[in-house]
Amino acid sequence: MDTIKTTKVSFNIVPITDDDKKAVINSLKQYFFRDEPLCACSGLIEENESVIQLENFCVDLLKDGISFMAVSTETGEIMGVSLNSATCRDTKIKEIDEEKNDKSPKFNDIMDLLSKAERDINIFEKYPSIDRIMELKIITVNEAYRGQGVCKTLVNKSKELALELGYQMIYVECSSTFTAMAVERLGFQCIYSFPYSDYVNDQGEVIFKTQPPHKYLKVNVLLL
C-alpha cells in the first residue's frame, strides 16, 4: 500500500491522448481495479477474463477523446483520472448481452447492475429537454494522492469541457460513497440510490457484499 502524501503535491489536469493509453490503464489496474467497491468485494482482479473485459471497457471510454488525467508536476506520475464518454438521445444503446463474455462473470455482474440503474432511471425520459450528456464513467484517484483536491479538479475540468462542447448534463454513476460525497459537494444532485443489499441472484443471495461505508449505488447529475 502506498504511503499517503501529507504535503500538498502540485499537478496539472491534461487530456488523455492515445500515447497515454498504456500508462492510464496500468494506473487503473494498480488502483481502480483493486479498490473500486464492486471490484473489491467480487474479487474481480482474481478473474483474468474479467480483468481483460474491464481493461477493454476502459480503453473504449478513451475513444471519445474527452477524458482527463491529473499528472504530478514533479514526477510525471498519474495521480488520478476521469474517463468520460458522450451519450446523445439518438445514440443506439448497446444491449448488455452484446458486451458479455461467458468467461468473465464478475465483470458481467457489475455491468448488469449498472445496466439496471440505467433502465430504472431512463434518463432521457426523465429529462425530456436534455439531448446531450457527458458521463463521468470512472473517476479515481491513486491512494497516495487522496485528499489533495484531485477528484474535484478532474470533475471541474470535465465540466469546463462539457460546457464548451454544448453538453446539457453531466451524469455520474457512483459505486463508491466517497465519489458520491465528492460530486454532491460540487453541486451534483442524487437522482438514484439503490442498496447493494437489495441486489440478489436467483437464489436470493446478495451479489455484492461491499465493505462499509459503501452501501448504495448512486447516480448523480449536474444540469448545465
Side-chain angles (χ1 to χ4, degrees):
M1 184 174 290
D2 290 352
T3 301
I4 304 299
K5 308 295 183 184
T6 56
T7 57
K8 191 71 175 177
V9 177
S10 62
F11 59 90
N12 292 321
I13 304 295
V14 298
I16 298 174
T17 69
D18 285 342
D19 292 339
D20 304 314
K21 186 185 301 181
K22 183 175 180 180
V24 168
I25 296 302
N26 285 340
S27 180
L28 287 168
K29 289 172 74 172
Q30 185 177 359
Y31 296 100
F32 179 77
F33 286 24
R34 180 196 70 192
D35 295 342
E36 188 278 328
L38 301 180
C39 292
C41 74
S42 65
L44 181 140
I45 60 172
E46 300 168 6
E47 190 172 85
N48 187 57
E49 285 295 335
S50 282
V51 171
I52 292 172
Q53 287 291 94
L54 182 52
E55 182 176 340
N56 291 340
F57 176 78
C58 294
V59 169
D60 283 343
L61 292 175
L62 298 177
K63 292 178 181 178
D64 283 342
I66 55 176
S67 297
F68 292 99
M69 61 182 178
V71 180
S72 167
T73 57
E74 299 173 6
T75 66
E77 182 180 3
I78 297 174
M79 298 168 58
V81 302
S82 180
L83 301 192
N84 307 332
S85 66
T87 302
C88 300
R89 181 176 293 275
D90 57 357
T91 300
K92 180 181 184 298
I93 305 299
K94 285 186 178 180
E95 292 295 331
I96 191 66
D97 287 342
E98 295 178 25
E99 303 285 343
K100 286 188 176 181
N101 181 324
D102 290 340
K103 296 180 180 179
S104 52
K106 296 182 187 301
F107 175 81
N108 291 344
D109 283 345
I110 294 173
M111 296 307 291
D112 281 343
L113 175 57
L114 298 180
S115 180
K116 168 187 165 45
E118 291 179 5
R119 292 192 306 271
D120 288 350
I121 296 168
N122 196 347
I123 194 69
F124 289 114
E125 182 175 303
K126 185 176 181 67
Y127 294 92
S129 63
I130 298 295
D131 296 314
R132 302 183 71 222
I133 297 173
M134 178 183 283
E135 292 192 49
L136 311 191
K137 299 295 290 187
I138 293 176
I139 310 172
T140 184
V141 177
N142 292 359
E143 185 175 31
Y145 297 107
R146 291 169 190 167
Q148 299 268 349
V150 176
C151 178
K152 176 182 178 179
T153 313
L154 283 166
V155 173
N156 283 337
K157 189 66 174 180
S158 298
K159 177 184 175 182
E160 180 182 309
L161 180 62
L163 287 166
E164 180 183 328
L165 296 178
Y167 291 97
Q168 300 155 297
M169 172 187 284
I170 301 178
Y171 176 106
V172 192
E173 293 165 338
C174 302
S175 59
S176 162
T177 293
F178 302 131
T179 303
M181 291 172 61
V183 298
E184 285 167 15
R185 285 195 293 267
L186 294 173
F188 284 69
Q189 175 190 4
C190 180
I191 62 167
Y192 181 81
S193 182
F194 183 78
Y196 292 127
S197 59
D198 287 355
Y199 194 64
V200 298
N201 60 20
D202 292 340
Q203 290 73 46
E205 301 164 333
V206 176
I207 296 174
F208 296 111
K209 298 178 182 178
T210 51
Q211 293 297 308
H214 311 295
K215 297 181 179 181
Y216 300 90
L217 172 65
K218 294 187 175 183
V219 174
N220 290 266
V221 301
L222 182 68
L223 295 174
L224 301 176

